[in-house]
């Protein structure tokens, strides 16, 4: 179980996260929705512990991390890649081919089935046509799928994804939706930040709605059909109107 | 003309060889101390702000000072002020190494300081160790970035060693001048000298261009 309690984070005088608590159970998919600039990416980075929270606590499978973390001290025990992340900007290493981007970190966790797993990912995510190119020779949608494959090859317990389907076409999103249950079967806890409400509705076991750094409402996928707070109602109606 | 240039080089091969050895000795010290020391200093400059400030200041000051002025100042006024006499070869080595050291260190410091932190973050969440991140992510990207400029800088330093002749260092240019003074064949002698420098500089410059074309391709993403 990945549990975050009362996470807060500020950049200068601007408080971006305000006492957010989240639980991600193994084998479940949680999506985070909300307006832009509301702190969703900051939440992902705080949960991934790449940007440490100012206050709060994260517990991951019995390991406890209390914040504020002592300055200049590394996060210990290392939570990665038990928890890993696919960032919105992807951050693929530009000097390596896409295949090497996937295999370089995976080699640290060598196992007999590694190449079979890679083949499965190549097939499911349709990577075969471009996997030996460099990142700058691939489209955004292709790079998103590579970043996803790079994270999944690490056999993480928890994967945090930030807008990983934003540049994918309907067919590719459908493939990802079809692939997510396999992650659940493997017991991987997934958190996905998305603007695509339909994707959230179809993928999520649990939906969190954030606004201005706060958790406003959360619940199962039916939350989107039956919002309780005026702010979520307003947000959903604005999104529907925009479409 | 080229045949005559070769025949002069052959006739005065002993003198040219001695000059060549002095030039190569100068280069060996300037290049090795500059690259190794500059690399270490640049790394320290990127890691510790005080060192970074020191390097930036020194590189800025040295870039505003013509090397010839610095060389002459170290050879004449500085030695007069301190009432010491230093071998011109050592003065030249000190002067050119100083310039190369701070040029290289500023190049390395800048490349490390400007390294996109996101690539390191990606390495962390993928479970790469600090050593792996440094050796397999940072170093290859930084080397690809700085290598062409570094090689070009070293060719410039080779050319700069000619100034050492002006403070009586018996390097190849001074030897050429002395031979010319005794036989007066400037066209052939300076053609031979030009060919010598082309023979060393062009492969290094070509290598720098090849590296630039091979590794510093446009990596901006679509």
């Amino acid at each position: 179980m990945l549990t975050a309690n009362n996470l807060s984070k500020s950049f200068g005088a601007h408080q971006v996260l305000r006492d957010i608590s989240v639980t991600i159970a193994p084998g479940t998919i949680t999506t985070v929705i909300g307006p832009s600039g509301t702190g969703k990416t900051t939440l992902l980075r705080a949960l991934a512990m790449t940007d440490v929270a100012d206050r709060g606590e994260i517990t991951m499978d019995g390991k406890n991390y209390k914040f504020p973390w002592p300055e200049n001290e590394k996060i210990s025990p290392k939570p990665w890649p038990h928890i890993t992340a696919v960032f919105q900007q992807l951050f693929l290493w530009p000097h390596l081919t896409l295949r090497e981007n996937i295999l370089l970190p995976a080699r640290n966790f060598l196992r007999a089935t590694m190449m079979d797993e890679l083949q499965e990912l190549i097939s499911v995510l349709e990577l075969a046509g471009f996997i030996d190119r460099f990142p700058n020779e691939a489209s955004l949608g292709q790079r998103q799928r590579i970043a996803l494959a790079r994270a999944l090859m690490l056999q993480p317990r928890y994967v945090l994804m930030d807008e990983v389907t934003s540049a994918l076409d309907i067919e590719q999103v459908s493939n990802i939706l079809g692939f997510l249950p396999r992650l659940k079967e493997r017991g991987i806890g997934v958190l996905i930040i998305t603007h695509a409400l339909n994707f959230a509705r179809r993928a999520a076991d649990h939906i969190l709605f954030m606004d201005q750094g706060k958790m406003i409402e959360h619940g199962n996928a039916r939350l989107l059909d039956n919002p309780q707070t005026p702010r979520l109602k307003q947000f959903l109606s604005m999104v529907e109107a925009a479409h | 003309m080229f045949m005559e240039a070769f025949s002069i080089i052959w006739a005065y091969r002993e003198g040219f060889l001695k000059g060549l050895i002095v030039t190569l000795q100068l280069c060996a010290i300037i290049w090795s101390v500059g690259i190794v020391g500059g690399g270490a200093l640049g790394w320290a400059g990127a890691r510790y702000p005080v060192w970074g400030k020191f390097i930036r200041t020194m590189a800025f000051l040295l870039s505003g000072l013509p090397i010839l002025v610095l060389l002459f100042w170290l050879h004449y006024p500085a030695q007069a002020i301190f009432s010491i006499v230093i071998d011109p070869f050592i003065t030249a080595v000190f002067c050119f190494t100083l310039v190369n050291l701070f040029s290289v260190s500023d190049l390395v410091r800048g490349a490390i300081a400007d390294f996109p932190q996101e690539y390191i973050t990606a390495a962390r969440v993928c479970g790469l160790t600090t050593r792996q991140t440094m050796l397999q992510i940072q170093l290859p990207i930084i080397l690809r970035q700085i290598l062409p400029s570094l090689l070009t800088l070293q060719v410039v330093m080779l050319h700069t060693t000619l100034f050492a002749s002006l403070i009586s260092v018996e390097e190849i240019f001074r030897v050429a001048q002395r031979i010319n003074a005794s036989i007066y064949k400037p066209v052939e002698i300076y053609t031979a000298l030009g060919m010598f420098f082309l023979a060393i500089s062009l492969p290094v410059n070509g290598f720098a261009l090849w590296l630039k074309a091979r590794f510093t391709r446009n990596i901006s993403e679509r």
Side-chain angles (χ1 to χ4, degrees), chain A residues 49-50 74 78 80-81 84-85 87 91-95 104-105 108-109 134-138 143 150 154, chain B residues 118-130 132 136-137 140-141 144 214 217-222:
Chain A
M49 291 181 256
T50 55
K74 286 183 181 173
K78 247 171 72 170
W80 318 286
T84 191
F87 299 102
F91 307 144
L92 297 178
W93 301 304
H95 63 300
L104 172 67
N108 279 354
F109 311 95
F134 284 94
N136 69 318
E137 296 165 346
R143 280 184 276 125
R150 179 170 75 176
L154 300 169
Chain B
E118 294 85 356
Y119 294 141
I120 298 172
T121 303
R124 275 166 74 195
V125 296
C126 286
L128 294 189
T129 61
T130 307
Q132 281 178 316
Q136 299 193 44
I137 306 294
I141 295 176
R144 279 166 166 79
R214 173 78 178 80
R217 65 204 160 75
N218 179 13
I219 57 167
S220 53
E221 293 176 346
R222 283 195 252 160

Side-chain angles (χ1 to χ4, degrees), chain A residues 121-167:
Chain A
L121 286 171
I122 288 174
S123 156
V124 171
L125 299 173
E126 298 175 31
L127 312 178
F130 56 89
I131 195 167
D132 291 308
R133 293 183 196 163
F134 284 94
N136 69 318
E137 296 165 346
S139 70
L140 178 58
Q142 291 170 337
R143 280 184 276 125
Q144 281 184 334
R145 284 177 278 159
I146 292 292
L148 191 56
R150 179 170 75 176
L152 297 177
M153 276 297 285
L154 300 169
Q155 294 204 315
R157 297 275 296 146
Y158 303 96
V159 185
L160 316 176
M161 307 179 193
D162 194 353
E163 296 285 0
V164 284
T165 57
S166 64

